[in-house]
Amino acid sequence: MVDYHAANQAYQYGPSSGGNGTGGGGGMGDYMAQEDDWDRDLLLDPAWEKQQRKTFTAWCNSHLRKAGTQIENIDEDFRDGLKLMLLLEVISGERLPKPERGKMRVHKINNVNKALDFIASKGVKLVSIGAEEIVDGNAKMTLGMIWTIILRFAIQDISVEETSAKEGLLLWCQRKTAPYKNVNVQNFHISWKDGLAFNALIHRHRPELIEYDKLRKDDPVTNLNNAFEVAEKYLDIPKMLDAEDIVGTLRPDEKAIMTYVSCFYHAFSGAQKAETAANRICKVLAVNQENEHLMEDYERLASDLLEWIRRTIPWLEDRVPQKTIQEMQQKLEDFRDYRRVHKPPKVQEKCQLEINFNTLQTKLRLSNRPAFMPSEGRMVSDINNGWQHLEQAEKGYEEWLLNEIRRLERLDHLAEKFRQKASIHEAWTDGKEAMLKHRDYETATLSDIKALIRKHEAFESDLAAHQDRVEQIAAIAQELNELDYYDSHNVNTRCQKICDQWDNLGSLTHSRREALEKTEKQLETIDQLHLEYAKRAAPFNNWMESAMEDLQDMFIVHTIEEIEGLISAHDQFKSTLPDADREREAILAIHKEAQRIAESNHIKLSGSNPYTSVTPQIINSKWEKVQQLVPKRDHALLEEQSKQQSNEHLRRQFASQANMVGPWIQTKMEEIGRISIEMNGTLEDQLSHLKQYERSIVDYKPNLDLLEQQHQLIQEALIFDNKHTNYTMEHLRVGWEQLLTTIARTINEVENQILTRDAKGISQEQMQEFRASFNHFDKDHGGALGPEEFKACLISLGYDVENDRQGDAEFNRIMSVVDPNHSGLVTFQAFIDFMSRETTDTDTADQVIASFKVLAGDKNFITAEELRRELPPDQAEYCIARMAPYQGPDAAPGALDYKSFSTALYGESDL
């Protein structure tokens, strides 16, 4: 039994939501929760009470007259409960308990209680309203009770777009009056004072009854009277308020206005069918407009990306070598800039393009639209082929750059070596031709002749010693030619000059020897000591020259082992210096001995040793030069050793980071694969988890950037191998790009599942059941089911596809849906699409045609005026632009064919 006697009976009335009776759902509760503190004090305003009395009385009479009666005084005529019970029977269509006909107070209280019990049975909890107050004629309680009845039976069930009660009624008014100037419905009080909103509601549904354009905002009394009179005369809505009551009140009573407006809503409820049809069409059009926008975005992005690939590949395939290392180094730096700056955004664009394409296809599939086919040459496969060509060109270009730099480095080294050896040889040959052509032997004494012969023998020995150097010069020139050295012409010219001069020296040497041998018989004696000196000094001098040449020889190494080999060879050379010093002292001792004998025998020497031009001063000078070059060589080798040690440090540093990043990328790839199979929780939870996982991957990017910096240092140091790691920068870059693409695709799959769930109305429990069933039979975690696995999955979900004729036929039908290409595999997305079609309803071509037919009033065509009246402006114009003229026999002027529009949306196969 409902408690009608709450303790607090102050100036308040109104129901609170509660119970589970008919219609007592969330809408009533939501509205009444807002009404708990509803203007209680304002009820003391006589103007408001007057408006409510008039409105509620008219509303009650609009129903009581159906039973052949009416009331005059709302707080008096309901006191015995009889007309109150009759009112409830009329508006509910149900029978109440038989009333008591006695005139005593107890009979009246019992009748009113029966009415209040009936109201409570409809899920309305009455607070502070008791039968005694109604029987005693309490006006405020009586008005509160009538408002409760109006709310429950006239307003509560009003619903527009999942809102209800007050909000639903207000939204209905806003939509219906939106096209009208000077009307802005924001509430149920001052928005209605000028009367234009009442007239707009009537004109929207019955335009022939109102001349809306002639109404003036500054004449509210005329406007209100016009609307009230037309409503009473043509719409059977009794006049519930006087225009003067509304205009003369600062803020009209909200309940009175709501009661009046609800009558308009119910009077025009027949138009809801058309509105529902219009809403369906608006929804379809909105989906189609969004899909067209996505298609345009895809075409634009695909065109831009393909154009960038088209412009970039020729640059990467340009393999014209440069002449200098500096020019090739600039090319390498340009390539690194391309890798660091230009390519990464394009990787993101490519990934986003694939995601947009998949999302678009999912939306088209969910809305029963034909699949999107990009323009020729802009398919995802075309982009992938172009990207693959780009990466092949990129890899080849980098290899070519590094090989060219190595080749040019080798060329520079050889060219410098050629110039050094050529300069040494040219310095040695300077004056040799003039010396060989000199005919001094014709006037020389016998001793002079013999001296000249010995000197010539020493020269021949020296000449033979230089044969190796000439051959080395020619070999270096040949190698420079084979390596396509840019200055080969000058090298060849200089080499040819040296060779020609060498041949001429050989010829002159031979001629002079013959001339000297002719006079050899005239030679008697020769100073053996000078001869011995010359014979030992010449090889020693040649050894010193070779040593100086070796000590000044340039070197190029790439590993620590190579430089340590050179250091070892240099140490071995230094170990021979004591023996060489003893040889030098022995040679100088011979010279001193010759001088001592000459002096002791009073022999006047003519000057220098007649058998050699290598004087002790020359030997000492060159020996001193060798002594100076040795520490310089030490320093150069130690510097190179330090450089190679630094390079080795760079190798180890890169290897340490690469050996950490490489396995991390591989681990993350495996974890993503596992996550995509073992997802738990709601799809939103999974999406949130994946996005957090994506952020953790993006946060790891500084490790890859550090590796890029280390890799650049390695390349700048011209380090081309690294035995400490199997990971190359190219390998890690590809792995990183694949990791980013994989997590983005996995997130996109979940987003598409959310789209599927929301579009198809699939519950979270259903989605989890589908995922659990699919994963259970996906034994290899490959993300797809074979036919037998899929059949077992269907059986687990209750499908009758057992191995009999009927079951096989049903299974073959399902396979043709989920695997139209006959690949033999069923993906999870195809599985979800199938299950959603099986369990939910979506808009179809037939539904859209039916909706248009409702708007057209069952005609086979529709007019532009009808579309503009029923649809929002942008969607109305969207339809008009895409509808073909109607060609049927019943065509009217301006008729449009809405069936052709549906065919364009869904394709012929759906009709």
Side-chain angles (χ1 to χ4, degrees):
M1 178 66 67
V2 179
D3 178 13
Y4 302 122
H5 304 281
N8 183 10
Q9 298 182 9
Y11 299 104
Q12 64 174 16
Y13 65 85
S16 298
S17 61
N20 296 313
T22 306
M28 183 65 178
D30 291 344
Y31 173 68
M32 292 314 302
Q34 300 171 15
E35 291 295 315
D36 284 346
D37 298 322
W38 166 66
D39 295 335
R40 294 169 179 169
D41 295 335
L42 291 177
L43 291 176
L44 300 175
D45 185 347
W48 280 37
E49 186 172 331
K50 177 183 178 183
Q51 291 178 22
Q52 289 184 17
R53 282 177 177 276
K54 185 176 295 185
T55 304
F56 292 179
T57 299
W59 183 86
C60 291
N61 286 334
S62 69
H63 294 286
L64 287 173
R65 69 186 179 185
K66 298 175 185 177
T69 187
Q70 63 179 13
I71 62 173
E72 298 294 336
N73 189 324
I74 195 167
D75 50 344
E76 291 292 333
D77 293 351
F78 286 136
R79 292 178 61 181
D80 61 3
L82 296 177
K83 288 187 177 181
L84 178 60
M85 294 178 68
L86 181 60
L87 174 66
L88 291 173
E89 287 186 346
V90 171
I91 62 178
S92 68
E94 301 180 25
R95 296 290 297 177
L96 271 69
K98 187 176 181 181
E100 299 181 13
R101 295 295 180 179
K103 301 297 184 179
M104 298 177 63
R105 176 179 173 82
V106 66
H107 298 143
K108 297 178 180 180
I109 289 175
N110 289 339
N111 287 338
V112 173
N113 272 330
K114 289 178 182 180
L116 295 178
D117 288 342
F118 179 79
I119 296 172
S121 72
K122 298 305 178 182
V124 180
K125 184 177 181 181
L126 298 167
V127 179
S128 301
I129 300 178
E132 289 82 354
E133 287 83 356
I134 305 300
V135 172
D136 292 340
N138 186 315
K140 292 179 175 57
M141 293 302 172
T142 303
L143 290 174
M145 179 189 64
I146 298 302
W147 175 240
T148 298
I149 295 171
I150 293 172
L151 275 178
R152 172 59 186 85
F153 295 100
I155 298 178
Q156 178 179 330
D157 294 333
I158 296 174
S159 177
V160 179
E161 286 194 357
E162 300 181 2
T163 63
S164 59
K166 180 179 179 181
E167 290 78 5
L169 184 60
L170 184 64
L171 180 59
W172 179 80
C173 294
Q174 290 171 338
R175 285 192 169 181
K176 292 303 180 181
T177 61
Y180 294 88
K181 63 181 180 179
N182 296 327
V183 178
N184 182 18
V185 178
Q186 298 296 326
N187 49 56
F188 284 111
H189 37 81
I190 61 174
S191 294
W192 303 83
K193 283 190 65 173
D194 61 10
L196 292 178
F198 285 108
N199 284 276
L201 283 180
I202 298 173
H203 185 269
R204 178 64 185 270
H205 296 90
R206 296 287 300 276
E208 74 279 5
L209 300 179
I210 298 287
E211 293 184 280
Y212 186 83
D213 292 338
K214 294 184 178 181
L215 300 177
R216 302 200 325 268
K217 187 175 181 64
D218 59 358
D219 190 3
V221 173
T222 300
N223 297 340
L224 289 166
N225 284 329
N226 181 66
F228 295 164
E229 291 168 4
V230 169
E232 187 171 35
K233 182 176 181 180
Y234 295 103
L235 303 178
D236 197 25
I237 298 174
K239 186 176 182 181
M240 298 183 179
L241 289 171
D242 291 328
E244 291 75 14
D245 292 339
I246 297 177
V247 175
T249 304
L250 181 64
R251 185 174 183 266
D253 179 63
E254 189 175 46
K255 292 180 174 58
I257 298 296
M258 283 182 64
T259 302
Y260 213 157
V261 172
S262 69
C263 294
F264 283 87
Y265 174 85
H266 291 295
F268 297 130
S269 60
Q272 292 303 307
K273 184 178 179 182
E275 183 173 350
T276 301
N279 288 338
R280 179 184 292 276
I281 292 173
C282 289
K283 178 181 176 183
V284 171
L285 296 180
V287 169
N288 209 57
Q289 288 171 311
E290 181 182 2
N291 291 342
E292 286 186 358
H293 179 67
L294 290 174
M295 293 175 190
E296 292 169 0
D297 284 350
Y298 174 89
E299 292 283 345
R300 176 179 54 77
L301 287 173
S303 297
D304 292 345
L305 187 57
L306 287 170
E307 174 62 20
W308 179 81
I309 293 173
R310 184 191 64 78
R311 287 187 280 104
T312 304
I313 287 178
W315 175 66
L316 293 173
E317 290 179 342
D318 179 16
R319 307 293 165 81
V320 178
Q322 302 299 311
K323 293 181 179 181
T324 65
I325 289 182
Q326 290 74 21
E327 292 173 320
M328 290 305 296
Q329 286 283 8
Q330 183 58 48
K331 276 184 171 288
L332 181 60
E333 187 59 34
D334 292 342
F335 180 72
R336 288 172 179 159
D337 189 65
Y338 154 80
R339 271 268 179 81
R340 290 191 304 265
V341 178
H342 300 292
K343 185 183 177 186
K346 299 302 177 183
V347 173
Q348 294 297 325
E349 288 181 15
K350 177 176 176 291
C351 178
Q352 189 61 46
L353 192 68
E354 293 177 3
I355 290 173
N356 290 352
F357 182 83
N358 292 335
T359 301
L360 174 59
Q361 298 293 34
T362 299
K363 288 186 175 182
L364 291 172
R365 184 169 61 252
L366 294 177
S367 57
N368 292 332
R369 282 13 175 225
F372 169 56
M373 181 62 65
S375 304
E376 184 176 357
R378 294 187 177 91
M379 298 287 291
V380 172
S381 58
D382 297 321
I383 295 171
N384 287 334
N385 290 336
W387 192 266
Q388 185 178 9
H389 187 188
L390 173 77
E391 293 190 330
Q392 290 173 349
E394 179 181 309
K395 181 179 180 182
Y397 188 69
E398 185 176 32
E399 293 174 352
W400 173 76
L401 282 174
L402 295 176
N403 288 334
E404 273 299 303
I405 290 174
R406 291 179 188 176
R407 184 182 70 83
L408 291 174
E409 183 186 43
R410 172 69 178 163
L411 283 175
D412 283 355
H413 172 70
L414 288 174
E416 183 60 28
K417 192 170 185 177
F418 172 83
R419 287 189 288 270
Q420 187 181 57
K421 288 184 177 293
S423 296
I424 293 172
H425 179 76
E426 289 167 346
W428 178 83
T429 59
D430 184 38
K432 295 295 189 292
E433 290 184 357
M435 181 270 291
L436 292 172
K437 292 178 180 179
H438 192 207
R439 304 177 68 86
D440 53 344
Y441 56 84
E442 294 180 349
T443 58
T445 63
L446 184 59
S447 59
D448 292 336
I449 292 297
K450 290 184 177 293
L452 288 175
I453 290 175
R454 300 297 183 267
K455 184 177 180 181
H456 190 70
E457 288 175 351
F459 172 77
E460 286 180 329
S461 176
D462 200 11
L463 185 68
H466 279 76
Q467 178 68 33
D468 287 341
R469 181 179 289 113
V470 174
E471 292 175 355
Q472 289 175 6
I473 291 172
I476 293 173
Q478 179 63 28
E479 188 172 0
L480 287 171
N481 281 310
E482 291 173 355
L483 292 175
D484 195 22
Y485 182 53
Y486 76 95
D487 199 23
S488 293
H489 174 72
N490 290 332
V491 169
N492 292 335
T493 300
R494 189 173 184 181
C495 181
Q496 188 61 48
K497 181 179 178 181
I498 289 172
C499 291
D500 291 343
Q501 186 184 39
W502 184 257
D503 292 340
N504 191 36
L505 284 176
S507 176
L508 290 174
T509 300
H510 180 70
S511 299
R512 183 171 178 80
R513 183 172 182 81
E514 287 182 344
L516 292 173
E517 286 177 348
K518 289 180 182 179
T519 59
E520 188 178 8
K521 293 181 181 180
Q522 301 174 14
L523 303 177
E524 292 182 357
T525 188
I526 188 169
D527 188 344
Q528 294 297 325
L529 290 173
H530 279 184
L531 182 58
E532 183 180 358
Y533 172 88
K535 287 182 177 181
R536 295 181 66 174
F540 185 72
N541 181 63
N542 188 61
W543 174 86
M544 287 192 296
E545 289 180 347
S546 298
M548 287 188 293
E549 183 178 345
D550 290 341
L551 289 170
Q552 298 178 82
D553 188 21
M554 296 178 63
F555 55 84
I556 179 171
V557 294
H558 295 97
T559 66
I560 191 71
E561 290 79 10
E562 291 177 353
I563 188 60
E564 287 176 352
L566 289 178
I567 291 174
S568 176
H570 183 60
D571 290 341
Q572 185 177 357
F573 166 75
K574 289 194 293 184
S575 68
T576 65
L577 290 178
D579 291 338
D581 192 33
R582 286 190 287 272
E583 175 67 10
R584 179 183 66 85
E585 291 177 349
I587 293 172
L588 294 177
I590 294 173
H591 177 72
K592 290 178 180 179
E593 181 64 16
Q595 288 183 330
R596 187 189 64 79
I597 294 173
E599 290 175 358
S600 63
N601 293 284
H602 306 287
I603 298 173
K604 184 178 180 181
L605 298 175
S606 59
S608 60
N609 192 322
Y611 303 113
T612 182
S613 60
V614 181
T615 65
Q617 290 78 16
I618 291 175
I619 291 176
N620 286 329
S621 175
K622 290 184 177 179
W623 177 255
E624 183 179 354
K625 181 68 172 177
V626 169
Q627 293 294 96
Q628 294 172 352
L629 290 174
V630 168
K632 290 183 180 180
R633 183 73 167 183
D634 286 334
H635 180 70
L637 290 172
L638 289 175
E639 278 190 343
E640 184 62 29
Q641 185 183 38
S642 176
K643 174 185 174 183
Q644 290 305 322
Q645 288 173 343
S646 173
N647 288 353
E648 184 67 9
H649 172 71
L650 290 176
R651 289 188 183 96
R652 291 181 182 275
Q653 186 181 51
F654 175 83
S656 174
Q657 183 74 1
N659 290 336
M660 176 185 70
V661 173
W664 183 89
I665 291 176
Q666 181 62 32
T667 299
K668 292 302 176 185
M669 288 291 290
E670 294 170 357
E671 289 178 358
I672 291 172
R674 188 162 58 252
I675 289 172
S676 65
I677 295 173
E678 301 175 356
M679 288 183 174
N680 298 314
T682 66
L683 290 176
E684 285 75 9
D685 291 340
Q686 297 169 17
L687 183 61
S688 175
H689 177 61
L690 283 170
K691 288 188 175 180
Q692 289 176 359
Y693 202 80
E694 182 183 38
R695 286 193 293 273
S696 70
I697 291 175
V698 173
D699 290 342
Y700 195 76
K701 181 64 162 56
N703 292 282
L704 199 73
D705 294 338
L706 175 61
L707 207 56
E708 285 285 6
Q709 295 170 5
Q710 294 171 349
H711 179 65
Q712 181 169 347
L713 292 175
I714 282 179
Q715 286 195 325
E716 290 172 352
L718 297 176
I719 300 172
F720 304 109
D721 56 356
N722 194 338
K723 65 183 180 181
H724 303 297
T725 181
N726 293 325
Y727 293 101
T728 65
M729 196 64 235
E730 178 64 27
H731 179 211
L732 294 173
R733 288 191 196 104
V734 171
W736 178 257
E737 291 172 4
Q738 289 177 346
L739 179 61
L740 291 177
T741 301
T742 300
I743 187 64
R745 286 174 177 168
T746 304
I747 289 173
N748 182 241
E749 288 177 2
V750 176
E751 291 174 337
N752 284 343
Q753 290 176 29
I754 292 174
L755 284 174
T756 302
R757 182 197 66 192
D758 295 342
K760 301 299 186 179
I762 301 174
S763 69
Q764 183 63 39
E765 291 75 14
Q766 286 178 308
M767 184 64 75
Q768 290 177 341
E769 179 185 358
F770 295 157
R771 167 56 81 180
S773 299
F774 188 89
N775 287 347
H776 176 75
F777 293 99
D778 185 13
K779 303 298 184 183
D780 59 355
H781 305 299
L785 302 180
E788 292 304 317
E789 293 174 327
F790 182 55
K791 178 181 284 188
C793 182
L794 289 175
I795 293 172
S796 74
L797 293 172
Y799 283 80
D800 185 12
V801 289
E802 298 290 349
N803 292 325
D804 54 34
R805 178 177 299 178
Q806 183 176 356
D808 290 342
E810 175 64 8
F811 180 69
N812 291 334
R813 179 191 71 80
I814 295 174
M815 282 298 293
S816 68
V817 173
V818 298
D819 184 23
N821 297 324
H822 306 292
S823 66
L825 294 174
V826 180
T827 64
F828 181 66
Q829 187 62 50
F831 173 66
I832 287 296
D833 289 344
F834 168 72
M835 294 306 298
S836 64
R837 285 195 296 272
E838 292 288 304
T839 57
T840 60
D841 183 28
T842 59
D843 61 272
T844 64
D846 292 337
Q847 290 174 331
V848 171
I849 290 176
S851 298
F852 274 117
K853 195 166 186 177
V854 169
L855 299 185
D858 285 338
K859 302 191 297 297
N860 290 323
F861 60 86
I862 194 167
T863 66
E865 180 182 355
E866 289 170 331
L867 286 172
R868 292 189 177 104
R869 184 175 69 242
E870 298 296 341
L871 299 180
D874 59 331
Q875 294 186 337
E877 299 306 322
Y878 180 83
C879 289
I880 294 169
R882 287 163 175 75
M883 283 186 181
Y886 179 69
Q887 304 294 339
D890 55 340
L896 300 173
D897 187 355
Y898 52 77
K899 292 182 180 179
S900 67
F901 180 67
S902 178
T903 300
L905 285 181
Y906 293 93
E908 292 287 350
S909 60
D910 288 325
L911 294 178

